[in-house]
Amino acid sequence: MEGHSITKVVLLACGSFNPITNMHMRMFELARDHLEDTGQYKVVRGIISPVGDAYKKKGLIEACHRLEMTRLATESSDWVMVDSWESLQPEWVETAKVVRHHYEELLASEQNIDDVDTIKYAKKRRIEENHHKDRDELQLMLLCGADVLESFGIPNMWKQEDIAEIVGRHGLVCITRSNSDPHKFIHQSDLLWKYRKNIHIVREWVTNDISATHVRRSLRRGQSVRYLLADSVIHYIKEHGLYSSESEQKNADVVLAPLQRYTGASSS
Amino acid sequence: MAARRVPLVLLACGSFNPITNQHMRLFELARDHMHSTGQYQVVGGIVSPVSDSYGKQGLVLAKHRVAMAELALQSSNWVTVDEWESQQPDWTETVVTMRYHYRRILKEYERSVGMHNNSNLSPQLKLLCGADFLDTFKIPGLWRDDHVEELVGHFGLVCVSRGELQPERAVHESDLLSYRRHNIFHVREWVKNETSATEVRRALRRGLSVKYLLPDSVIEYIHQHNLYTEDSEMRNKSAVLRPLVKQAQEPVKSLDD
């Protein structure tokens, strides 16, 4: 059977998921449709990785709740799942490290089909050896909205080498929201432009702006959020009394972890 | 001492071809809004899919549209589907549908009035719609003037704004609607959500995912019955919308969504 090989893709979404909404879940569906439509990819898995509490974003509630809500929301999906690794780390973890971690895990699980050798260092060596070879067969891509892409430009938010690793060695699938122009943003960044082939822009023709911020606001005001998020998630929120004026004030005076970490570091 | 609230039922007429999460959001938004006025207690919601004789392009059989709405509303404890309109032999004017439901509601209410003694205010029925609905009043031949008057003057509208449409403008530009503006309730939908049944059908035709835009049970039903194909979208393509014929005006091109 002649033809190009199809690259298997795993989509990884990092974020607060505070709480997870139908829009987050839609991103996966849109990304999968888009990539498979090119004929070059087969999306085999989606991973949602909620950020740890140490991120210190205003209004961020405990990771244990955000994990459980995400688990509930993904129950009806046969390919998207939640992963707790990032949220369990004691310090905030750079997205590039999360990508790296999941990529290594994926390679390892592919290797271990016949593999009996469980010695850690041998496994690591094998992963590194096979790294370049497997790139064509399995790719991990970061799934995000245009706002994340544009956050690459915020001073001290990202290390340049991390951006290079994500878009250079892996890939980015970016769902455009109504009011942004990601192509222009890529054009204006030499780094992004260099790796433009690895950046997939997905136009969301039907605007679906269900932001978690809006959902939290509605919840605070006792307004219905039905049909914006999964019923099971709404039920969980009510059961645990999440999202109040108090919870929204959490971390109000605290500096976001990446900004704290990188302030003073020069950006190229 | 709580003020007495008028018991209110919201009725949504439409194609529901298919029903989407956005349709169900309308009810939620409207209920929250009417409650917040302090004057109403929303006691029920009715989804009334239009009959096949409406003649709109791409309309699939009423039995499917009703079944899908039933699936979607299974988890709702206050909104139900009613098939009366869809089962009438000919297309039914919205006002006639409203009168039917109002009579029914009044009867039920009178039967149970002994049990609920905290309000002896008579129940009301209002039409729930999107902002684009107000613009249809302008289309020649689509509405009878006396019907618009009864709809807006006697019953009332709860109109949810969506996207860029400004319902206040439609009201302003119509003398009749302006006169009755106290009976037109505007609900702002702050979340910009352009999910429409048209878009859903388009995605389905192209084999794209519609998950999280409508309930899983409805998606399953659609696939089971293979609804919404290129062929189904061609149905009624050259037909004239039934209301335009029935109301005996000059033939006008049928409505696109």
Side-chain angles (χ1 to χ4, degrees):
Chain A
M1 205 89 60
E2 234 285 37
H4 54 274
S5 61
I6 293 199
T7 305
K8 288 195 290 201
V9 173
V10 173
L11 296 170
L12 169 70
C14 298
S16 306
F17 302 105
N18 187 37
I20 187 159
T21 68
N22 282 348
M23 191 195 74
H24 293 127
M25 301 305 298
R26 275 303 290 159
M27 280 198 331
F28 280 91
E29 301 290 310
L30 290 165
R32 178 168 71 164
D33 281 346
H34 176 93
L35 289 175
E36 295 193 349
D37 193 53
T38 65
Q40 299 174 292
Y41 304 101
K42 171 101 182 81
V43 179
V44 298
R45 193 185 300 176
I47 303 172
I48 300 180
S49 175
V51 77
D53 294 330
Y55 186 51
K56 299 281 187 212
K57 189 169 178 182
K58 181 167 175 283
L60 193 69
I61 65 166
E62 293 92 322
C64 58
H65 290 309
R66 291 182 290 114
L67 276 172
E68 182 56 16
M69 289 188 286
T70 303
R71 194 195 63 76
L72 289 166
T74 54
E75 244 166 12
S76 74
S77 175
D78 60 2
W79 66 286
V80 184
M81 51 191 268
V82 67
D83 187 278
S84 58
W85 179 83
E86 182 184 354
S87 65
L88 294 175
Q89 304 310 302
E91 298 290 321
W92 170 70
V93 185
E94 290 93 332
T95 303
K97 283 210 178 77
V98 181
V99 170
R100 214 178 293 151
H101 163 83
H102 282 285
Y103 187 63
E104 280 163 16
E105 287 244 315
L106 280 171
L107 288 185
S109 62
E110 287 232 308
Q111 303 284 42
N112 285 345
I113 293 166
D114 312 344
D115 211 331
V116 199
D117 189 344
T118 54
I119 298 169
K120 270 193 179 151
Y121 75 85
K123 187 160 93 179
K124 192 159 191 259
R125 195 180 1 105
R126 233 193 315 278
I127 290 169
E128 279 161 9
E129 277 169 2
N130 287 317
H131 188 74
H132 64 279
K133 183 173 74 180
D134 282 307
R135 196 192 189 286
D136 293 332
E137 282 146 31
L138 173 67
Q139 248 191 290
L140 178 72
M141 296 190 192
L142 186 68
L143 172 64
C144 64
D147 53 342
V148 172
L149 182 70
E150 285 171 17
S151 77
F152 286 163
I154 298 174
N156 296 321
M157 197 67 149
W158 296 84
K159 285 197 323 235
Q160 292 304 296
E161 51 264 44
D162 282 357
I163 299 175
E165 182 175 346
I166 293 170
V167 295
R169 282 178 81 184
H170 301 283
L172 199 71
V173 183
C174 176
I175 315 290
T176 59
R177 271 194 187 171
S178 40
N179 55 355
S180 51
D181 188 354
H183 289 286
K184 185 164 187 191
F185 189 75
I186 294 168
H187 166 76
Q188 288 173 342
S189 154
D190 285 345
L191 182 54
L192 295 180
W193 193 82
K194 180 174 173 188
Y195 296 117
R196 64 196 179 284
K197 297 273 153 64
N198 295 341
I199 303 175
H200 306 267
I201 305 293
V202 183
R203 281 302 300 273
E204 187 186 21
W205 293 108
V206 179
T207 308
N208 205 331
D209 254 348
I210 309 171
S211 73
T213 305
H214 173 86
V215 166
R216 293 196 308 275
R217 185 179 297 132
S218 298
L219 286 165
R220 284 199 302 279
R221 297 176 186 183
Q223 291 164 348
S224 167
V225 292
R226 239 189 133 186
Y227 311 111
L228 299 181
L229 21 166
D231 281 348
S232 53
V233 177
I234 298 175
H235 183 75
Y236 183 93
I237 290 172
K238 298 259 148 86
E239 241 188 335
H240 292 83
L242 307 176
Y243 300 123
S244 57
S245 319
E246 288 77 47
S247 71
E248 196 64 16
Q249 288 316 305
K250 216 168 160 204
N251 296 322
D253 310 317
V254 179
V255 177
L256 208 63
L259 298 175
Q260 238 182 55
R261 196 173 288 183
Y262 302 145
T263 299
S266 61
S267 46
S268 56
Chain B
M1 175 85 92
R4 286 177 334 183
R5 290 170 176 256
V6 172
L8 178 62
V9 176
L10 299 168
L11 169 70
C13 297
S15 305
F16 299 103
N17 186 36
I19 192 164
T20 67
N21 284 347
Q22 188 57 7
H23 289 128
M24 299 189 288
R25 275 303 289 158
L26 292 184
F27 282 93
E28 298 290 309
L29 290 161
R31 179 167 71 161
D32 281 348
H33 179 89
M34 299 311 280
H35 276 174
S36 72
T37 63
Q39 301 171 294
Y40 297 95
Q41 176 72 35
V42 176
V43 297
I46 305 168
V47 165
S48 174
V50 78
S51 79
D52 293 327
S53 39
Y54 186 50
K56 190 168 176 184
Q57 188 181 344
L59 200 65
V60 305
L61 292 176
K63 70 170 187 193
H64 290 309
R65 291 182 287 113
V66 167
M68 288 187 285
E70 268 167 6
L71 286 168
L73 293 168
Q74 235 162 28
S75 63
S76 175
N77 64 357
W78 69 285
V79 185
T80 57
V81 189
D82 189 281
E83 2 175 46
W84 180 85
E85 183 184 353
S86 67
Q87 287 178 337
Q88 299 313 297
D90 193 0
W91 168 75
T92 311
E93 292 90 338
T94 302
V95 153
V96 172
T97 304
M98 291 201 84
R99 287 180 203 146
Y100 163 77
H101 285 287
Y102 184 64
R103 276 195 300 270
R104 211 175 41 78
I105 290 163
L106 208 52
K107 240 188 251 159
E108 265 173 51
Y109 185 79
E110 278 157 9
R111 230 179 294 147
S112 70
V113 80
M115 305 185 321
H116 304 285
N117 54 12
N118 53 351
S119 166
N120 44 22
L121 291 169
S122 202
Q124 285 184 20
L125 177 71
K126 295 198 189 297
L127 188 70
L128 171 63
C129 61
D132 46 351
F133 181 83
L134 287 182
D135 288 329
T136 69
F137 289 146
K138 289 195 290 228
I139 297 173
L142 198 56
W143 290 92
R144 274 170 44 176
D145 285 345
D146 56 331
H147 281 184
V148 177
E149 167 57 35
E150 185 177 344
L151 186 58
V152 186
H154 176 67
F155 289 109
L157 294 183
V158 181
C159 178
V160 183
S161 70
R162 172 171 80 168
E164 307 299 339
L165 294 169
Q166 288 172 40
E168 288 92 341
R169 173 160 289 278
V171 171
H172 166 74
E173 286 174 359
S174 153
D175 287 345
L176 174 49
L177 295 182
S178 278
Y179 181 64
R180 295 295 182 192
R181 66 190 174 283
H182 61 276
N183 218 7
I184 302 174
F185 296 84
H186 295 288
V187 183
R188 290 301 299 271
E189 157 77 292
W190 294 107
V191 170
K192 188 167 179 203
N193 196 332
E194 289 167 2
T195 309
S196 66
T198 303
E199 283 296 340
V200 166
R201 294 196 305 275
R202 183 173 291 139
L204 287 164
R205 284 198 300 280
R206 298 175 185 183
L208 301 173
S209 165
V210 292
K211 206 170 150 96
Y212 312 111
L213 298 180
L214 24 167
D216 284 345
S217 53
V218 178
I219 299 175
E220 210 183 288
Y221 184 97
I222 289 172
H223 285 131
Q224 252 175 3
H225 293 84
N226 195 32
L227 305 175
Y228 303 125
T229 58
E230 281 171 22
D231 288 330
S232 72
E233 197 64 15
M234 287 298 113
R235 203 177 297 184
N236 294 323
K237 185 162 167 70
S238 353
V240 177
L241 219 55
R242 185 74 186 119
L244 300 171
V245 173
K246 194 173 179 188
Q247 284 159 174
Q249 299 285 336
E250 276 204 57
V252 176
K253 190 159 67 99
S254 63
L255 266 186
D256 286 344
D257 203 337

